[in-house]
């Protein structure tokens, strides 16, 4: 875990420029929003997520997160079939603020085209660099 | 087709308007245009970077780039809006590279803010007179201190002037404040309350000259001294804090009417006299809750409340702005001061007859070692006995008392009702009798 400009960027994850992270867990992928995203939105009060069994598509919205002052689409970092939805994050959206890379995860997806789509994402080193440039 | 919303200005009022618009309309094309390099930062925080409490100017950026991207807000910075055409519903903007663009809007929000005001003083064209409005202004002052400035003259004893003065003393400078009026914080406090604050500041080494007009800037190309009240004051650093004036040029050129305060005229929905054009923040006027007269109090809190209303309306919602009490607080060294509603002075100007009451008390039980002094002053309308204003100066716990009194005024509470308020107490936290209640009793005694 490093801090880039006060924002946490854990090692071993892949990142999209839409402020989402993915973690490869065997043949599945866990996804959520980054620390930078949750800090920018502040206290998240609502997360609208799709249901298990549905599909997500890379670079396309799959849900929304809302804070007291803001609302933002969630943009999928990879494509796939939704296997699990974090119901706890829906009922306790503050988990997205408290633990964006842990208890605040959003979906577990069975990826459709992981290897090809990974090339569109940033690895740890690139993500650290990108985070630093964001707030320059 | 998606609704097109353009917002001119991207600080407190502008970003708030954009966020409120996005909350209402998830598909609208929302564009913010600002001349500044940085958007969405806190101007109010500038003195505290200079003072060293906040490490970097960059820390004042409340809305980082991610915020704009996540809310799909199209931010055009370092871009100047040169014209608004309310008939064709377009704005013309020129970016840093000099490229001119004409953008179509369905709703327009003008949040052009205010500019530091410089009175026509002899020698004002000389170099080296700084002000504190933008982040870059803050950086210039900080740089001057780093380059070895040892003394500063600050012209104006309003909030910005004094907060900057405190910051510079904390950085080791000798600071002289020059104020034209006979007291400090003239917008905020009556003379009796201001005196308490002035003494606290003088004790910390701030030199305060009230009732003195700046007559001339002296020096060659660069200012080296001022003449004020016939006295020559030399310094390394000169900061003008005479106040700010609504930035209305774009609106005026576009034929959007100004109101009686020379800020942009608005209705209860923050809409100007031109349909689908809204104005918010330091460039707009709105009614005072007590006098019902238009005012332009130029506070960040008003800017965000107005921005929220205008943004919602611009996106097709219905929202009203409830008016201004101009509640404000500050902390200068270890002394806090706050105001809500009318001062005794402002009430007199509005020809409202008042009874006032003030009480000196403590912020904890008198016997508790850390108890700090606090003075509460209430301004009460004579006939209705309603509270119309309050000022507090004290060592701590000023803000939430000001907020409580602001709620009381908004709910048209009478001083008799306040005297019966059900308040809380524990020795380390308050006096048995809440100071606000004691101040109410003072007023009641005068009403007997």
């Amino acid at each position: 875990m490093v801090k880039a400009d006060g924002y946490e960027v854990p090692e071993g994850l892949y990142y999209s420029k839409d402020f989402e992270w993915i973690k490869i867990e065997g043949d599945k992928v866990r996804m959520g929003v980054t620390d930078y995203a949750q800090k920018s939105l502040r206290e998240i009060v609502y997360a609208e997520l799709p249901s298990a069994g549905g599909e997500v598509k890379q670079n396309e919205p799959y849900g929304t997160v809302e804070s007291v002052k803001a609302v933002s689409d969630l943009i999928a970092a990879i494509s796939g079939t939704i296997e699990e939805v974090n119901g706890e994050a829906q009922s306790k959206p503050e988990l997205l603020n408290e633990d964006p890379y842990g208890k605040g995860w959003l979906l577990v997806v069975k990826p459709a085209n992981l290897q090809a789509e990974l090339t569109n994402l940033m690895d740890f080193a690139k993500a650290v660099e990108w985070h630093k440039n964001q707030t320059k | 087709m998606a609704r097109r919303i353009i917002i001119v200005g991207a600080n407190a009022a502008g970003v708030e308007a954009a966020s409120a618009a996005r909350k209402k309309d998830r598909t609208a094309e929302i564009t913010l245009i600002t001349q500044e390099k940085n958007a969405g930062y806190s101007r109010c925080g500038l003195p505290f970077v200079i003072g060293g409490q906040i490490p970097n100017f960059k820390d004042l950026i409340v809305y980082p780039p991610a915020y704009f991207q996540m809310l799909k807000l199209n931010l055009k910075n370092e871009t100047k809006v040169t014209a608004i055409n309310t008939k064709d519903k377009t704005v013309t903007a020129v970016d840093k590279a000099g490229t001119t663009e004409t953008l179509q809007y369905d709703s327009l929000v003008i949040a052009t803010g205010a500019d530091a005001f410089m009175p026509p003083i002899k020698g004002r064209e000389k170099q080296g007179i700084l002000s504190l409005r933008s982040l870059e202004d803050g950086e210039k002052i900080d740089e001057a201190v780093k380059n070895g400035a040892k003394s500063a003259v600050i012209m104006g004893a309003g909030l910005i002037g004094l907060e900057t003065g405190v910051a510079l003393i904390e950085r080791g400078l000798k600071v002289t404040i020059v104020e034209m009026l006979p007291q400090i914080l003239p917008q905020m406090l009556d003379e009796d309350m201001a005196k308490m604050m002035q003494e606290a500041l003088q004790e910390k080494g701030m030199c305060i000259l009230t009732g003195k007009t700046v007559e001339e800037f002296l020096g060659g190309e660069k200012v080296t001294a001022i003449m004020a009240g016939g006295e020559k004051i030399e310094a390394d650093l000169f900061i003008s804090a005479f106040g700010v004036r609504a930035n209305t040029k774009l609106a005026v050129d576009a034929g959007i009417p100004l109101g009686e305060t020379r800020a942009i005229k608005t209705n209860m929905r923050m809409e100007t006299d031109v349909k689908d054009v809204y104005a918010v923040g330091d460039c707009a006027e709105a009614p005072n809750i007590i006098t019902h007269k238009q005012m332009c109090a130029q506070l960040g809190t008003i800017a965000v409340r107005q921005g929220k209303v205008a943004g919602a309306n611009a996106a097709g919602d219905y929202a009203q702005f409830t008016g201004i009490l101009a509640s404000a607080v500050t902390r200068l060294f270890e002394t806090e001061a706050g105001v809500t509603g009318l001062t005794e002075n402002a009430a007199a100007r509005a020809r409202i007859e008042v009874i006032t009451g003030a009480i000196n008390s403590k912020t904890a039980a008198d016997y508790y070692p850390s108890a700090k002094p606090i003075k509460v002053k209430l301004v009460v309308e004579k006939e209705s006995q309603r509270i119309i204003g309050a000022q507090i100066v004290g060592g701590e716990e000023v803000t939430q008392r000001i907020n409580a009194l602001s709620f009381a005024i908004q709910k048209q509470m009478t001083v008799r009702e306040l005297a019966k308020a059900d308040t809380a107490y524990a020795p380390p936290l308050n006096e048995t009798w809440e100071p606000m209640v004691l101040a109410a009793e003072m007023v009641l005694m005068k009403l007997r």
Side-chain angles (χ1 to χ4, degrees):
Chain A
M1 175 95 69
V2 300
K3 281 215 169 190
D5 250 338
Y7 303 113
E8 286 180 4
V9 184
E11 230 168 322
L13 307 181
Y14 289 87
Y15 297 87
S16 78
K17 287 180 181 171
D18 295 307
F19 317 103
E20 305 247 337
W21 57 264
I22 66 158
K23 188 181 179 194
I24 301 168
E25 297 177 346
D27 61 346
K28 288 173 191 167
V29 162
R30 192 178 295 270
M31 53 205 267
V33 299
T34 62
D35 187 43
Y36 181 32
Q38 68 84 8
K39 279 186 175 135
S40 299
L41 291 173
R42 302 191 174 190
E43 293 78 16
I44 292 167
V45 293
Y46 185 69
E48 190 187 355
L49 300 176
S51 309
E55 303 274 324
V56 292
K57 213 163 166 242
Q58 189 174 43
N59 299 331
E60 286 189 11
Y62 64 89
T64 54
V65 278
E66 209 169 332
S67 64
V68 175
K69 290 281 166 204
V71 59
S72 174
D73 283 338
L74 295 161
I75 312 286
I78 56 142
S79 310
T81 309
I82 303 165
E83 300 233 319
E84 277 180 69
V85 179
N86 189 355
E88 209 193 348
Q90 274 178 303
S91 57
K92 282 197 253 167
E94 63 269 26
L95 289 175
L96 273 77
N97 295 115
E98 287 163 10
D99 194 7
Y101 299 110
K103 284 185 178 162
W105 66 274
L106 298 174
L107 305 177
V108 172
V109 164
K110 184 150 180 91
N113 197 7
L114 183 61
Q115 287 316 314
E117 287 184 346
L118 271 185
T119 58
N120 302 327
L121 302 180
M122 298 178 282
D123 61 14
F124 171 68
K126 277 187 187 152
V128 169
E129 206 44 45
W130 181 79
H131 273 86
K132 282 183 181 163
N133 282 329
Q134 276 286 302
T135 47
K136 237 178 202 168
Chain B
M1 205 173 84
R3 189 195 309 270
R4 293 157 301 186
I5 301 170
I6 294 180
I7 299 163
V8 187
N11 264 314
V15 178
E16 196 73 31
S19 307
R22 174 56 77 224
K23 276 249 174 174
K24 169 66 185 170
D25 186 338
R26 306 280 165 101
T27 59
E29 285 172 23
I30 304 174
T31 305
L32 293 123
I33 308 172
T34 176
Q35 250 178 287
E36 289 192 68
K37 191 171 165 222
N38 297 291
Y41 69 87
S42 163
R43 294 189 196 288
C44 310
L46 291 168
F48 308 98
V49 185
I50 295 172
Q53 290 87 354
I54 302 166
N56 302 301
F57 284 101
K58 219 181 69 181
D59 298 334
L60 298 180
I61 296 173
V62 182
Y63 299 99
Y67 186 85
F68 294 92
Q69 195 187 327
M70 290 176 84
L71 270 73
K72 288 185 286 183
L73 307 174
N74 177 19
L75 174 66
K76 293 174 183 286
N77 48 9
E78 293 183 272
T79 302
K80 186 182 161 73
V81 173
T82 52
I84 297 167
N85 184 329
T86 59
K87 214 169 135 217
D88 299 344
K89 295 188 132 187
T90 60
V91 304
T92 308
V94 184
D95 70 10
K96 200 181 158 192
T99 313
T100 302
E101 196 182 3
T102 300
L103 301 152
Q104 197 81 36
Y105 67 79
D106 297 301
S107 311
L108 175 70
V109 180
I110 301 173
T112 44
D115 293 325
F117 169 70
M118 169 62 84
I121 297 164
K122 198 177 162 196
R124 68 168 170 170
E125 69 291 341
K126 291 185 198 300
Q127 283 169 21
I129 308 166
L130 305 177
S131 57
L132 185 55
R133 176 75 190 165
S134 68
L135 215 133
E136 288 75 18
D137 291 339
E139 286 171 338
K140 274 185 206 159
I141 294 173
D142 187 56
E143 210 174 281
V145 175
K146 282 180 179 149
N147 288 341
K150 295 274 177 287
S151 59
V153 166
I154 297 175
M155 296 155 271
L159 277 176
I160 294 289
L162 293 181
E163 284 177 358
T164 308
V166 168
L168 292 176
I169 289 175
E170 280 166 345
R171 290 283 290 274
L173 276 75
K174 183 182 170 294
V175 171
T176 306
I177 307 266
V178 182
E179 169 60 47
M180 183 179 76
L181 293 170
Q183 65 164 90
I184 63 165
L185 296 171
Q187 300 278 348
M188 193 171 174
L189 302 175
D190 286 320
E191 206 163 349
D192 51 340
M193 300 297 282
K195 196 167 163 267
M196 227 176 127
M197 178 59 94
Q198 184 167 340
E199 284 165 6
L201 293 173
Q202 282 164 335
E203 241 170 70
K204 294 279 181 183
M206 189 182 278
C207 172
I208 300 172
L209 307 171
T210 52
K212 295 244 190 312
T213 311
V214 179
E215 288 129 7
E216 193 178 348
F217 292 105
L218 304 171
E221 233 172 70
K222 218 173 157 277
V223 178
T224 54
I226 60 161
M227 285 296 287
E231 190 187 337
K232 185 176 170 184
I233 309 164
E234 292 181 331
D236 302 325
L237 188 55
F238 297 86
I239 298 171
S240 84
F242 292 106
V244 294
R245 291 288 180 275
N247 190 348
T248 56
K249 188 174 183 304
L250 264 182
V252 170
D253 290 349
I256 297 161
L258 302 186
E260 54 196 277
T261 69
R262 310 307 297 156
I264 302 169
K265 192 177 166 191
T266 60
N267 63 20
M268 293 292 275
R269 295 181 67 187
M270 298 317 297
E271 196 174 18
T272 67
D273 275 2
V274 178
K275 196 177 174 303
D276 297 324
V277 178
Y278 300 83
V280 290
D282 289 358
C283 67
E285 65 175 31
N288 180 288
I289 288 174
I290 298 151
T291 62
H292 305 292
K293 278 187 125 180
Q294 295 299 315
M295 74 184 294
C296 184
Q298 297 169 323
L299 295 165
T301 47
I302 297 171
V304 294
R305 285 200 290 272
Q306 292 180 339
K308 188 179 177 194
V309 167
N313 287 324
D317 209 345
Y318 178 84
Q320 276 205 353
F321 180 68
T322 50
I324 297 170
L325 279 181
S327 309
V329 290
T330 187
R331 186 172 71 188
L332 303 168
F333 295 113
E334 279 94 52
T335 307
E336 300 177 6
V339 65
T340 182
L342 302 187
T343 59
E344 198 176 348
N345 243 326
R349 280 199 303 274
R351 307 205 177 188
I352 297 172
E353 243 183 273
V354 299
I355 308 280
T356 66
I359 191 89
N360 281 299
S361 185
K362 290 281 176 70
T363 60
D366 198 31
Y367 54 78
Y368 199 84
S370 67
K372 292 180 175 144
I374 189 165
K375 184 176 181 182
V376 179
K377 175 174 177 174
L378 293 177
V379 180
V380 173
E381 198 275 325
K382 198 175 166 186
E383 191 180 38
S384 67
Q385 299 189 6
R386 281 187 183 137
I387 306 156
I388 61 166
Q391 296 155 64
I392 306 178
V393 175
E396 60 189 355
E397 305 285 336
V398 167
T399 306
Q400 296 314 326
R401 285 194 169 94
I402 285 294
N403 283 344
L405 291 165
S406 165
F407 305 153
I409 295 171
Q410 268 189 296
K411 293 304 288 177
Q412 305 195 314
M413 191 184 241
T414 65
V415 67
R416 209 165 287 281
E417 288 168 320
L418 179 60
K420 302 278 184 188
D422 183 323
T423 59
Y425 143 81
L429 298 172
N430 202 0
E431 267 285 23
T432 332
W433 282 101
E434 158 59 40
M436 294 186 283
V437 170
L438 292 179
E441 298 230 37
M442 286 293 287
V443 176
L444 286 182
M445 272 195 257
K446 290 192 191 171
L447 280 168
R448 266 199 306 220

